[in-house]
Amino acid sequence: MHIKHQWGVVVGAMALSFTLAFATPKPAAVHAQSYSRYATVTKKGYVMWSSLRFNHRKTNTTNYYHQTLRVKARYRHGRSQYLSLYNRYGHWLGYVNAGAVKVTTSKQGVAIGAHHYVSLTRAYPIWNNFGFHSVRHWAKNYYARTYLVKAQYHHFNGSWYNSMYDHSGRWFGYLSATGAKTTSAQGIGVATNRYVQVTASRYTQWQSFAFNRGYTMNGSGNHPLFAAKRIYYHYNGSTYYSLYTAAAWAGYINTSATRTVSSTTYANQARYFATVDNNKVAL
């Protein structure tokens, strides 16, 4: 009986020791390292933790997608690496798995691929680089001109910047996104109030900027006049008027096929409007 009792105590102690060892393992060691970088969030759905015990969720990377944040420390936890992130106001945002971001030494963050058109709408500087000391162009000299954006940057200062290219593929510079309006390839269209006369012997009045519908006009000695109410600085490098007769909209025409006339000339030669339809050749 005495032997059985002692053996039972021994077995019970071993079982208790086994349970404590495997049911509540010690957390993996965390190795901290000072780390001054910037990180652009490139993946959604990653938890940003309040502690590296991973028992409290602070926020989620979806809320900071494509934003550039400050990294002040990194931690190795087992085989994973976690970064301690801060916003531009110095507020701590939590720990995130390094796989959710792209790290850089630059405040502008990493380039985010883009492919859309913008027309310049404000007199902002267009920068050569993100040092903001070297101006490449002044947007006021290119008002309403249209450019292709191939990349965007969310700078740590909180602003978005467009990396723009012209129709020849030449890089035009970096511009704050608030200095331009996203549009289609034809641009935003600027209101104008002028009268024009067609001077080309053969030209096309387009019905859309897809350039797949319109009328080719054959010269017949007549040079019709129109009211031009909007002007478009197309990405293709050409400029177009939106034309009207006294009765209706007449289409888009390349400005190189016209010349500007006075309102008096326009009024005196309104009879040309009646001849336009007789010269149309549908495309």
Side-chain angles (χ1 to χ4, degrees):
M1 292 294 293
H2 179 69
I3 295 175
K4 289 183 179 180
H5 175 72
Q6 286 186 331
W7 178 247
V9 171
V10 171
V11 171
M14 290 175 63
L16 179 59
S17 176
F18 181 88
T19 302
L20 290 175
F22 290 92
T24 57
K26 293 181 179 180
V30 175
H31 302 283
Q33 181 183 2
S34 180
Y35 192 62
S36 182
R37 295 288 190 277
Y38 297 91
T40 301
V41 179
T42 55
K43 293 183 180 179
K44 297 179 179 180
Y46 277 65
V47 175
M48 297 171 72
W49 300 96
S50 287
S51 79
L52 292 176
R53 292 180 180 273
F54 307 110
N55 55 4
H56 187 269
R57 301 180 179 213
K58 188 173 178 66
T59 183
N60 190 289
T61 57
T62 302
N63 299 324
Y64 297 93
Y65 187 59
H66 282 167
Q67 293 187 31
T68 299
L69 306 170
R70 182 71 182 272
V71 182
K72 292 189 177 181
R74 65 179 173 181
Y75 301 83
R76 293 198 176 278
H77 186 276
R79 295 184 178 180
S80 298
Q81 180 174 260
Y82 288 83
L83 305 177
S84 183
L85 301 181
Y86 292 76
N87 66 16
R88 63 193 176 105
Y89 302 110
H91 298 155
W92 183 60
L93 302 177
Y95 302 107
V96 71
N97 189 297
V101 303
K102 287 187 178 179
V103 175
T104 178
T105 58
S106 304
K107 288 186 176 181
Q108 72 266 20
V110 300
I112 298 166
H115 191 281
H116 63 268
Y117 301 96
V118 295
S119 291
L120 310 192
T121 56
R122 295 190 180 181
Y124 287 0
I126 299 170
W127 301 102
N128 264 315
N129 54 56
F130 287 108
F132 302 119
H133 298 303
S134 175
V135 175
R136 189 176 183 87
H137 304 286
W138 285 99
K140 65 182 179 182
N141 298 327
Y142 300 90
Y143 181 75
R145 269 57 173 185
T146 306
Y147 298 92
L148 176 64
V149 176
K150 292 187 177 182
Q152 290 184 298
Y153 296 82
H154 180 266
H155 199 284
F156 184 63
N157 66 16
S159 296
W160 283 92
Y161 292 88
N162 293 324
S163 182
M164 303 181 300
Y165 291 77
D166 68 15
H167 69 283
S168 299
R170 293 186 296 257
W171 183 65
F172 197 68
Y174 299 115
L175 175 69
S176 172
T178 58
K181 183 176 181 179
T182 300
T183 181
S184 300
Q186 72 267 18
I188 57 174
V190 179
T192 187
N193 184 23
R194 65 184 73 179
Y195 301 98
V196 298
Q197 183 176 30
V198 175
T199 56
S201 59
R202 183 179 176 85
Y203 60 96
T204 302
Q205 285 176 226
W206 297 103
Q207 298 300 295
S208 79
F209 282 114
F211 300 114
N212 56 4
R213 291 188 303 112
Y215 293 101
T216 295
M217 311 296 286
N218 293 315
S220 60
N222 294 329
H223 296 285
L225 282 78
F226 298 92
K229 295 187 177 181
R230 295 190 79 78
I231 187 167
Y232 294 84
Y233 299 98
H234 199 288
Y235 172 69
N236 65 16
S238 296
T239 305
Y240 297 87
Y241 287 131
S242 180
L243 302 179
Y244 289 77
T245 67
W249 180 67
Y252 302 110
I253 191 172
N254 193 307
T255 59
S256 65
T258 70
R259 71 181 180 95
T260 303
V261 299
S262 67
S263 58
T264 301
T265 301
Y266 173 78
N268 290 340
Q269 299 189 38
R271 60 187 176 83
Y272 281 118
F273 292 140
T275 69
V276 174
D277 287 339
N278 296 328
N279 299 316
K280 287 182 179 179
V281 177
L283 294 179

